[in-house]
């Protein structure tokens, strides 16, 4: 579209930015021409115990899929994030922590971070945690969450962070899959003025059959609330007091696992995305520096949760590897009121803010006043992540929050990619609201048709990546075959992202959203299959199908079609109960927004549910249902359309 708004790089950025347009063009071309050479050079940003000589060993199949970077290198990721900054930044702030309550905040220096992480490393060792052991973290957004991640990395353990909003069942499933024998949690968390019963959830999870093998639970005292105490529990503060602050970082190989993070796919249970050490830290730190144009001393804030990959790469690992000042926020953007984020910006004089479109849309609804109460003079750059940002929200973020002086980096990436793959570099690119613009160095995106043919020029298609980058996931934990199937079988020899995208005549990418059965609710991934299996586990449900529909604030909402079991009455009370049921089974983010009773579901004669039709009905677009004559029971469609009318 020729008439799209174009926002050039502000004049104030000229000469100040790390990467301008000329440098981007030259460096990008070189990074593709000599990909191995490029990544060999970038590896030098990391302190290696033994520098790698084998840079890249990658095959995207079809016969064999393997991804290895810096294979013969040795390093410790924690030492890169902490120890190496002690020489010149020991007294500089590493973490700014802002509590849920506006009255609570603190700053932690690199020296303090080093001490806390070292003590905790020794605590973990004393608990029996060794190299390669999986430690599950189920924690609020408190500094101890970052300490725990780094302490695992320090001693060579593998962390598996489970978002504190997930249910005991979801937690148990992840503990079981990771065969994790250790859990770190808190008594309770604070969020938006309420408490979350974390320890109680852990206790419930550990009663589930698959999670009873957990040996020890380390508990941070956050609220002082009442909790049950079991023989396997230990207080964090007591253990820390007794521990030595001398904990030499373990020597790790570049391809040793760093963490597992579970994410939803289109089928089955969430899968454990495995990231390893060397490549991940090179990629997270490099992208953090360039995408956020990070200069030493900048005060940076990624307002995500460490339960998601954004928190891993851009609150903890990327910034700390760069010796940056990173912010952790325990609360929510609307507590105590809709001005909170900007109050925090003023309070800590933050220069960079990185958040999700869903938060921007929620705040936009509250009008400009809560923003304008703050000065925001410290702000230089804004970021967006997790879902497509609609141009209206982009414009508001730019005009009201950033007062037209701050570029916005709309960063496209995934849990699987470890770091940002497509994004503006703010000093290098004129922006178009809603476009993630162009690939990062070394990244080769392409658009393909259904047959996998690459489409050139201005076009639309499914987004694939043609070659590896160091931050790419290595496998699905414990199930390499699932890794190959999920990402490399649709288009053999290519990494399939699951997203659709458009590329315009200027070569800018516009991510259009998932093309599979993955939902994106408020920037969080959920599989339709997970919600469906939670629903059918309820005795009143015979069958269920879940689809997404456009939602003003959440981006997508959850729409469920339920066929009741024989003899069950379709009442409002049952609908409410089923929504609560899903909430309890998976977590609050999975709560269905809308529920429609379905006398039957549209299926092909072979029994496959035609989700395309269900999506169209949920979206109110009946005109274009496509061919329904192949359905086993075409009348179901009319019944569902009639039934949809009352659903709001
Ligand atoms: O559909 C894309 C969407 O979020 C998915 C990845 O979700 P997750 O692994 O949870 O990671 C979220 C944080 C990186 C992608 O497949 N997505 C993420 N960022 C964007 C986006 N869609 C459009 N624009 C983005 N900037």
């Amino acid at each position: 579209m020729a008439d799209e708004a174009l926002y050039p790089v502000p004049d104030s950025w000229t000469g100040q930015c790390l990467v301008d347009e000329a440098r981007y063009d030259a460096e990008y071309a070189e990074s593709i021409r000599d990909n191995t050479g490029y990544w060999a050079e970038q590896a030098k940003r990391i302190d290696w115990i033994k520098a790698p000589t084998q840079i890249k060993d990658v095959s995207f199949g079809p016969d064999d899929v393997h991804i290895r970077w810096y294979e013969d290198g040795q390093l410790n990721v924690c030492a890169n994030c902490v120890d190496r900054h002690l020489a010149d930044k020991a007294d500089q702030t590493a973490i700014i922590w802002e509590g849920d309550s506006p009255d609570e905040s603190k700053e932690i220096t690199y020296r303090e971070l080093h001490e806390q992480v070292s003590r905790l490393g020794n605590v973990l060792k004393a608990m029996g945690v060794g190299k390669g052991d999986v430690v599950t973290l189920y924690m609020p957004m408190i500094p101890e969450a970052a300490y725990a991640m780094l302490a695992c990395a320090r001693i060579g353990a593998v962390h598996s962070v489970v978002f504190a909003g997930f249910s005991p069942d979801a937690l148990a499933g992840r503990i079981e899959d990771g065969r994790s024998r250790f859990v770190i949690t808190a008594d309770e968390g604070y969020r938006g003025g309420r408490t979350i019963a974390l320890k109680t959830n852990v206790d419930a999870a550990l009663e589930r059959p698959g999670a009873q093998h957990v040996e020890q639970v380390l508990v941070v005292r956050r609220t002082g609330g009442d909790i049950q105490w079991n023989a396997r529990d230990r207080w964090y503060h007591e253990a820390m007091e007794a521990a030595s602050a001398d904990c030499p970082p373990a020597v790790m190989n570049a391809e040793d696992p760093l963490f597992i993070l579970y994410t939803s796919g289109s089928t089955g249970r969430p899968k454990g995305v495995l990231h390893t050490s060397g490549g991940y830290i090179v990629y997270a730190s490099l992208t953090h520096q360039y995408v956020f144009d990070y200069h030493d001393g900048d005060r940076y804030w990624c307002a995500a949760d460490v339960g998601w990959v954004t928190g891993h790469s851009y609150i903890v690992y990327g910034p700390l590897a760069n010796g940056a000042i990173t912010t952790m926020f325990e609360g929510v953007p609307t507590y105590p009121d809709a001005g909170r984020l900007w109050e925090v910006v003023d309070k800590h004089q933050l220069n960079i803010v990185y958040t999700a479109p869903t938060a921007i849309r929620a705040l936009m609804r509250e009008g400009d006043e809560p923003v304008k109460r703050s000065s925001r003079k410290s702000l230089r750059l804004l970021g967006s992540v997790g879902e497509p940002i609609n141009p209206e929200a982009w414009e508001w973020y730019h005009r009201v929050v950033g007062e037209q002086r701050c570029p916005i980096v709309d960063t496209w990436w995934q849990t699987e990619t470890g770091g940002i793959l497509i994004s503006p570099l703010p000093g290098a690119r004129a922006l178009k609201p809603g476009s993630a613009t162009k690939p990062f160095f070394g990244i080769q995106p392409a658009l393909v048709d259904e047959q996998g043919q690459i489409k050139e020029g201005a076009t639309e298609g499914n987004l694939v990546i043609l070659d590896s980058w160091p931050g790419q996931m290595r496998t699905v934990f414990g199930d390499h075959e699932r890794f190959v199937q999920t990402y490399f079988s649709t288009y053999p020899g290519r990494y399939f992202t699951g997203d659709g995208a458009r590329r315009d005549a200027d070569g800018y990418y516009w991510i259009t959203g998932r093309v599979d059965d993955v939902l994106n609710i408020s920037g969080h991934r959920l599989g339709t299959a997970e919600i469906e299996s939670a629903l059918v586990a309820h005795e009143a449900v015979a069958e269920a199908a879940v689809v997404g529909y456009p939602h003003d604030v959440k981006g997508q909402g959850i729409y469920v079609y339920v066929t009741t079991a024989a003899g069950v009455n379709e009442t409002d009370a049952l609908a409410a109960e089923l929504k609560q049921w899903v909430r309890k089974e998976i977590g609050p983010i999975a709560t269905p927004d809308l529920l429609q009773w379905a006398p039957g579901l549209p299926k092909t004669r072979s029994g496959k549910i035609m989700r395309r039709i269900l999506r169209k009905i949920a979206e109110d677009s009946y005109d274009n249902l496509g061919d329904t004559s192949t359905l086993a029971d075409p009348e179901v469609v009319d019944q569902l359309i009639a039934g949809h009318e009352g659903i709001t």
Side-chain angles (χ1 to χ4, degrees):
M1 283 176 267
D3 53 12
E4 274 150 0
L6 196 68
Y7 292 78
V9 176
D11 289 342
S12 57
W13 278 63
T14 313
Q16 306 294 318
C17 57
L18 297 175
V19 181
D20 62 13
E21 193 174 354
R23 174 166 167 201
Y24 170 81
D25 289 345
E27 198 166 324
Y28 179 75
E30 182 58 20
S31 73
I32 303 303
R33 192 193 64 77
D34 178 13
N35 190 252
T36 303
Y38 177 78
W39 289 117
E41 193 56 31
Q42 300 313 316
K44 295 179 184 158
R45 62 189 293 112
I46 288 309
D47 281 359
W48 297 89
I49 297 165
K50 176 179 177 293
T53 60
Q54 290 163 255
I55 304 304
K56 178 179 179 183
D57 176 7
V58 168
S59 165
F60 278 6
D63 297 334
D64 168 41
V65 175
H66 67 259
I67 298 158
R68 294 191 272 268
W69 286 91
Y70 309 127
E71 213 179 329
D72 64 341
Q74 291 177 334
L75 79 166
N76 182 281
V77 169
C78 175
N80 272 283
C81 292
V82 183
D83 305 45
R84 71 163 168 163
H85 309 308
L86 293 179
D88 57 345
K89 290 183 177 156
D91 295 315
Q92 183 206 284
T93 299
I95 299 175
I96 300 170
W97 176 74
E98 169 79 11
D100 185 53
S101 155
D103 301 330
E104 223 184 338
S105 64
K106 62 179 168 187
E107 300 203 7
I108 296 126
T109 64
Y110 274 97
R111 189 194 311 284
E112 289 162 340
L113 182 63
H114 179 253
E115 184 186 332
Q116 296 299 320
V117 168
S118 301
R119 278 187 196 277
L120 185 51
N122 283 329
V123 167
L124 294 177
K125 280 194 210 166
M127 284 165 61
V129 180
K131 257 193 189 180
D133 285 341
V134 177
V135 180
T136 302
L137 274 51
Y138 185 68
M139 299 182 78
M141 281 292 289
I142 52 179
E144 288 81 356
Y147 303 161
M149 293 163 74
L150 293 165
C152 286
R154 192 168 192 85
I155 66 167
V158 181
H159 58 73
S160 166
V161 183
V162 179
F163 175 57
F166 277 126
S167 68
D169 273 334
L171 173 60
R174 287 155 172 79
I175 288 172
E176 180 179 5
D177 185 88
R179 299 184 270 287
S180 166
R181 292 180 291 132
F182 307 94
V183 176
I184 309 180
T185 188
D187 50 358
E188 298 173 307
Y190 285 122
R191 211 153 177 268
R194 288 198 291 245
T195 54
I196 307 169
L198 298 177
K199 172 64 165 57
T200 304
N201 284 351
V202 170
D203 291 344
L206 300 193
E207 279 172 21
R208 306 290 196 268
Q212 289 175 2
H213 61 277
V214 168
E215 292 164 17
Q216 301 199 52
V217 179
L218 191 64
V219 187
V220 178
R221 188 150 72 198
R222 172 67 187 110
T223 68
D226 266 351
I227 52 170
Q228 188 186 308
W229 204 251
N230 308 302
R232 63 177 173 243
D233 301 336
R234 272 195 93 182
W235 280 115
Y236 178 98
H237 59 274
E238 289 179 4
M240 288 289 274
E241 225 166 84
S244 148
D246 179 21
C247 179
V251 177
M252 304 302 291
N253 283 104
E255 284 298 345
D256 282 339
L258 180 64
F259 66 84
I260 304 169
L261 186 57
Y262 286 84
T263 194
S264 302
S266 47
T267 56
R269 289 154 63 98
K271 41 185 180 291
V273 167
L274 184 85
H275 283 287
T276 57
S277 303
Y280 173 81
I281 199 67
V282 168
Y283 198 74
S285 67
L286 182 72
T287 48
H288 171 261
Q289 185 182 359
Y290 287 151
V291 172
F292 299 104
D293 194 63
Y294 190 86
H295 292 72
D296 252 358
D298 281 347
R299 298 169 75 86
Y300 160 90
W301 182 16
C302 166
D305 190 289
V306 291
W308 309 108
V309 74
T310 311
H312 282 61
S313 301
Y314 298 115
I315 295 177
V316 178
Y317 286 114
L320 294 177
N322 289 336
I325 302 170
T326 186
T327 307
M328 285 181 84
F329 176 42
E330 187 181 26
V332 296
T334 47
Y335 176 80
D337 60 47
R340 182 69 188 278
L341 296 186
W342 325 120
E343 222 173 80
V344 173
V345 166
D346 281 2
K347 177 175 173 185
H348 299 294
Q349 289 295 295
L350 305 177
N351 311 115
I352 302 164
V353 170
Y354 185 34
T355 189
T358 186
I360 298 162
R361 287 191 297 264
L363 298 179
M364 187 169 82
R365 289 220 303 204
E366 306 292 324
D368 299 1
E369 187 277 330
V371 187
K372 294 199 162 146
R373 251 188 268 148
S374 63
S375 119
R376 285 160 286 109
K377 283 284 169 275
S378 57
L379 277 183
R380 194 165 64 81
L381 178 66
L382 302 170
S384 171
V385 59
E387 49 175 323
I389 182 165
N390 47 313
E392 193 193 355
W394 195 103
E395 302 269 3
W396 184 83
Y397 198 28
H398 188 261
R399 178 173 50 81
V400 180
V401 176
E403 294 182 327
Q404 298 178 321
R405 102 185 150 262
C406 306
I408 297 177
V409 287
D410 174 359
T411 64
W412 174 85
W413 59 297
Q414 311 178 297
T415 307
E416 293 88 338
T417 69
I420 295 163
L421 297 199
I422 304 181
S423 168
L425 300 188
R429 188 131 335 119
L431 305 172
K432 299 181 188 183
S435 170
T437 77
K438 296 195 182 186
F440 190 74
F441 300 129
I443 304 299
Q444 296 184 59
L447 300 178
V448 296
D449 64 18
E450 294 296 327
Q451 284 68 46
Q453 288 302 317
I454 293 187
K455 300 171 80 177
E456 304 290 347
T459 187
E460 196 163 347
N462 286 346
L463 179 63
V464 298
I465 312 291
L466 300 179
D467 195 0
S468 185
W469 61 99
Q472 186 172 23
M473 75 182 283
R474 301 300 195 254
T475 191
V476 170
F477 183 73
D479 196 349
H480 193 67
E481 191 44 41
R482 191 169 175 203
F483 176 60
V484 176
Q485 273 302 318
T486 308
Y487 304 103
F488 299 95
S489 68
T490 316
Y491 304 114
R494 292 170 186 151
Y495 169 76
F496 180 39
T497 63
D499 280 323
R502 176 166 76 78
R503 186 175 49 226
D504 68 19
D506 298 325
Y508 280 42
Y509 285 84
W510 302 71
I511 311 296
T512 48
R514 302 290 304 196
V515 294
D516 53 12
D517 291 323
V518 171
L519 304 179
N520 192 324
I521 312 297
S522 302
H524 300 316
R525 252 164 91 164
L526 281 170
T528 50
E530 279 166 80
I531 305 174
E532 286 163 7
S533 62
L535 282 164
V536 296
H538 191 286
E539 58 186 11
V541 177
E543 204 172 25
V546 174
V547 296
Y549 71 99
H551 187 287
D552 283 350
V553 173
K554 304 200 308 184
Q556 268 189 315
I558 302 175
Y559 195 107
V560 310
Y561 294 88
V562 171
T563 307
T564 47
V568 172
N569 288 329
E570 298 167 349
T571 62
D572 289 348
L574 178 60
E577 183 184 325
L578 291 176
K579 289 181 187 176
Q580 280 308 309
W581 170 266
V582 176
R583 184 185 174 94
K584 191 179 95 347
E585 290 277 303
I586 304 177
I589 52 169
T591 313
D593 295 282
L594 300 174
L595 184 148
Q596 178 178 344
W597 302 117
L601 294 171
K603 290 184 188 157
T604 60
R605 293 202 184 95
S606 61
K608 192 170 170 292
I609 296 176
M610 300 285 283
R611 281 164 202 288
R612 181 178 51 79
I613 294 176
L614 293 174
R615 263 195 296 269
K616 295 269 183 206
I617 296 174
E619 284 168 7
D620 292 327
S621 60
Y622 313 137
D623 322 336
N624 184 16
L625 288 180
D627 182 11
T628 56
S629 65
T630 56
L631 292 179
D633 179 6
E635 269 136 57
V636 159
V637 175
D638 293 329
Q639 291 168 340
L640 289 178
I641 291 175
H644 171 72
E645 293 300 328
I647 308 291
T648 44

